[in-house]
Amino acid sequence: GLGLYANLRPVRLYPALIDSSTIKAEVLRGTDLVVVRELTGGLYFGERGRRDAGRTAYDTMIYSEHEVERVVHAAFRLARTRRGLVTSVDKANVLECSRLWREVATRVAREYPDVRCEHLLVDACAMHLIRRPATFDVIVTENMFGDILTDEASMLSGSMGMLPSASLGEGRLGLYEPIHGSAPDIAGQGIANPLAAILSAALLLRYSLGLDEEARAIEGAVERALAAGYRTKDIAAPDEPVTGTIAMGDLIVAAVSQ
């Protein structure tokens, strides 16, 4: 309803958390990527239903040229502010929607001669995210693929509790939230990681308010708190002290003001 079609999910490995992931440090080092997930089309919004008295189910993946074009443009504009590489992810060897996706992405790429473009099948991308994550810059993909790949990518940073997101439309309107959902099983225990929510506020400052310096202040505060050894339960090693939700938030407030 808000017309938010581009979901930006940054995955940055903080050096202090390199041992929090189950992946080898030498593989992870230098990881700093953004997944741009298309947010209003695909299987999640296509026609669906049951037939044969409920014994057969179907979901329909549908994309228009316009939907693909606008999110791919968003990815290329973002890559221009980063390291200049867009990886477009599809399943063009099987899906007609993906064949359209690749055609449109290839055409849009010609408008950005200063940005490199590569195409990967989604299964290959899933493998390379674990094998060589530091080689990615901006990944752009359709709705369901983006949903799955970003959950996989969260393990690069050590926890889903570290990953913010920005859902953007035309203009400066945006919606900002952690990529994880609610966690009713730990509600009220003071052990939830607030850093993804705090980092989402940094994205709000950057993308909706144009306050990049202020965004960097929050991100720097998070990095300093982690470098000082503070850890919530999800990113703490078995022998490390655990910082609670409120205490971690207070630490970031203090670090921002330094």
Side-chain angles (χ1 to χ4, degrees):
L2 296 174
L4 308 177
Y5 61 84
N7 183 217
L8 277 55
R9 296 187 169 191
V11 181
R12 178 188 172 199
L13 177 68
Y14 288 90
L17 296 183
I18 199 163
D19 294 321
S20 296
S21 174
T22 55
I23 301 170
K24 293 178 181 178
E26 58 266 29
V27 174
L28 288 172
R29 195 166 285 112
T31 296
D32 182 1
L33 61 92
V34 179
V35 179
V36 180
R37 169 189 172 190
E38 201 289 322
L39 208 54
T40 63
L43 280 172
Y44 295 172
F45 293 95
E47 184 181 346
R48 67 191 64 184
R50 296 281 187 102
R51 56 175 179 255
D52 301 331
R55 293 189 297 272
T56 301
Y58 63 92
D59 296 275
T60 307
M61 178 184 286
I62 184 167
Y63 268 108
S64 69
E65 183 178 276
H66 170 68
E67 288 172 319
V68 179
E69 190 174 65
R70 64 184 182 178
V71 75
V72 172
H73 271 295
F76 274 89
R77 290 193 299 267
L78 179 61
R80 274 181 166 169
T81 70
R82 293 173 50 86
R83 300 194 306 279
L85 172 63
V86 169
T87 302
S88 178
V89 175
D90 56 44
K91 191 64 176 169
N93 59 335
V94 175
L95 301 176
E96 194 61 37
C97 273
S98 282
R99 285 189 271 274
L100 173 66
W101 184 285
R102 187 170 292 207
E103 290 169 11
V104 173
T106 300
R107 173 165 50 77
V108 170
R110 298 191 192 107
E111 301 181 37
Y112 300 85
D114 53 325
V115 177
R116 290 178 295 138
C117 178
E118 64 178 6
H119 301 275
L120 272 183
L121 298 176
V122 64
D123 41 355
C125 184
M127 177 181 69
H128 291 311
L129 268 176
I130 301 301
R131 180 173 173 265
R132 52 172 181 85
T135 66
F136 290 102
D137 182 19
V138 176
I139 296 172
V140 62
T141 192
E142 66 90 37
N143 205 340
M144 184 179 70
F145 295 163
D147 193 1
I148 296 168
L149 290 175
T150 50
D151 277 15
E152 178 193 13
S154 72
M155 293 299 97
L156 301 173
S157 66
S159 169
M160 289 185 75
M162 291 299 303
L163 297 192
S165 78
S167 297
L168 306 178
E170 302 297 343
R172 298 173 70 178
L173 181 68
L175 185 146
Y176 301 86
E177 59 184 339
I179 77 161
H180 59 73
S182 61
D185 56 320
I186 60 171
Q189 298 178 40
I191 60 174
N193 187 342
L195 294 180
I198 291 169
L199 290 167
S200 295
L203 297 183
L204 184 155
L205 290 168
R206 175 171 292 120
Y207 291 116
S208 280
L209 303 181
L211 300 174
D212 194 63
E213 182 179 348
E214 288 81 354
R216 289 198 305 271
I218 292 178
E219 292 160 349
V222 170
E223 185 160 10
R224 290 194 297 276
L226 294 172
Y230 296 104
R231 302 285 187 273
T232 47
K233 185 176 181 180
D234 57 315
I235 53 176
D239 57 343
E240 285 184 315
V242 172
T243 302
T245 305
I246 293 174
M248 181 63 88
D250 290 342
L251 285 165
I252 304 305
V253 170
V256 167
S257 63
Q258 289 177 358

